[in-house]
Amino acid sequence: MANHSLTAVIQRYATLNLSLIFLLSSSSHYETFRSSISFFLGARTLYTRADSRASAFSDKHNLKSLIARFKPSTQTPLPVLQNWVDQGNKLSSSELRCISRRLIKSKRYNHAFELFNCMENQQKFRIKPADHALKLELIAKNCGLMEAEEYFMRIPDSAGKKAAYLPLLRGYVGDRDTSKAETFMEKLYELGLVVNAHPYNEMMKLYLATCEYWKVPLVIQQMKRNKVPLNVLSYNLWMSACDEGERYGVAAVETVFREMQNDEIVEMGWSSLATLANVYMKAGQSEKAILVLKNAEEKLSTCNRLGYFFIITLYASLKQKEGVLRLWEASKAVGGRISCANYICILTSLVKLGDIAQAKRIFREWESNCQKYDIRVSNVLLGAYVRNGLIKEAESLHLHTLQKGGCPNYKTWEILIEGYVNWQKMDEAIIAMKRALAMLKDCHWRPPQRIVLAIAEYLEKCGNFEYANEYITDIHNLGLGSLSLYKILLRMHLSAQEPPFHVLKMINKDKMEMDSETVSILKAFTG
């Protein structure tokens, strides 16, 4: 058994129904399951506790090389890891933890959970407090917050609970569940775990998300009472709440900002200045906002582009094209590749400022350097062409992106459909709508009702009875039916002298109340 290969076991483990694994992880049978897996794994484990310096996998290049093999994203990474071990490489527990976090970053939560369970079933594995946080996050993502709560309560030591409480609290914040978050905070106080600004900041985020702005200053008061120092994020959230609250305003935000300036513990950065600038901008005090943003520019990092593009967005809102272009050029000095998200930001800002020519120049710059054609980048320019009535440019760009290997997404089709409808190129609009509707099973996008109705009206005008039936039935099945659409179909049935039974069925299923026009059409069938 000591020489038993892991391959068969991992393949069997990877194909197990995840719901069964989740059930076992919280049941009395879990230990039996865990023991049996450990038995089958035998002496050769998925990882070795060898010193990381001696490991062939210890350097970042090898780590990236292995992670690059985890494709396609729908497949479990366990066989890849097994193959790596079979080739004589070593995997330490810290490296497996790193891989788990990479999988989480890629939103492959089920695969990260599989890997963590496999790690946990190794005989020599010793769980650390940070592991409890990782596992709780994976349970929350894969099984839900109720199971995560149960896991938190089962953590035996305070160090583990201290490490794991933040992912659970963030889960409540993500769900905007004020009641559970407040109850959980009380529990954390009882356990003596609220010792820094992080949980307070999460509560402030929650109150901002739920528009309970008046509760944010109460959180600040509690922090001061408990002698918990505020950090930069605490001040930024406090300023945002003062800006949004009806009883506050610019003066209240400035008071908080001055308090932050006098706080010797806090080092003010670009984010706080950008927050203040945003407050001035919303209050119509553009000159103050621009002045503050120029100060914020001086605090930008030479290692990270995030601040550059946050400030670029604010400059665009202030109609400051000079600031947008200045920050764009400055961002190029930061090390590392400029991301597609960065290009989308600068293109969106230039389009907002009406400088399509400049946007086109930067788009070509992106095209010449991109490793993978991201259709979201070209969609920004495509949308600008459509909104400005540049039909030839839009169609030319669309064909160009196809030649470059770009894969249209639902947004591409939505932009084109809107353009075709506006330009009365209805046959092209119908073709684009067909392609868009075919993608709906893979996303949550739904076409705008105005566009849906415009195509139906065109089908009625052309007397395309067969396709109108198919089209409106598809729209109904997507939950986008409307009485206006059904009236179009009823009139077409009347004209074709076809009984409207399935149209009435759709109206009934959607629980729509018929208006006088609908009743008149139905009466005409019996006339």
Side-chain angles (χ1 to χ4, degrees), residues 496-515:
Q497 296 185 341
E498 291 284 343
F501 298 130
H502 81 283
V503 185
L504 294 173
K505 187 177 180 181
M506 288 190 289
I507 293 173
N508 183 58
K509 188 174 180 180
D510 288 347
K511 298 179 180 177
M512 289 185 175
E513 187 174 342
M514 297 185 193
D515 58 15

Side-chain angles (χ1 to χ4, degrees), residues 315-349:
Y315 272 136
S317 297
L318 288 162
K319 307 297 182 186
Q320 292 290 306
K321 184 166 71 173
E322 181 185 339
V324 167
L325 294 175
R326 182 175 64 250
L327 263 291
W328 165 244
E329 292 302 323
S331 74
K332 295 178 181 179
V334 178
R337 194 174 189 84
I338 301 175
S339 70
C340 288
N342 295 153
Y343 275 105
I344 289 171
C345 180
I346 183 64
L347 290 173
T348 303
S349 297

Side-chain angles (χ1 to χ4, degrees), residues 110-123:
N110 58 332
H111 293 156
F113 196 53
E114 286 178 10
L115 178 56
F116 192 91
N117 276 327
C118 207
M119 286 169 52
E120 207 172 14
N121 288 320
Q122 305 299 306
Q123 292 178 352

Side-chain angles (χ1 to χ4, degrees), residues 66-82:
L66 177 57
I67 290 172
R69 303 183 189 187
F70 295 166
K71 294 179 180 181
S73 60
T74 54
Q75 293 180 2
T76 174
L78 298 183
V80 176
L81 294 173
Q82 176 59 48

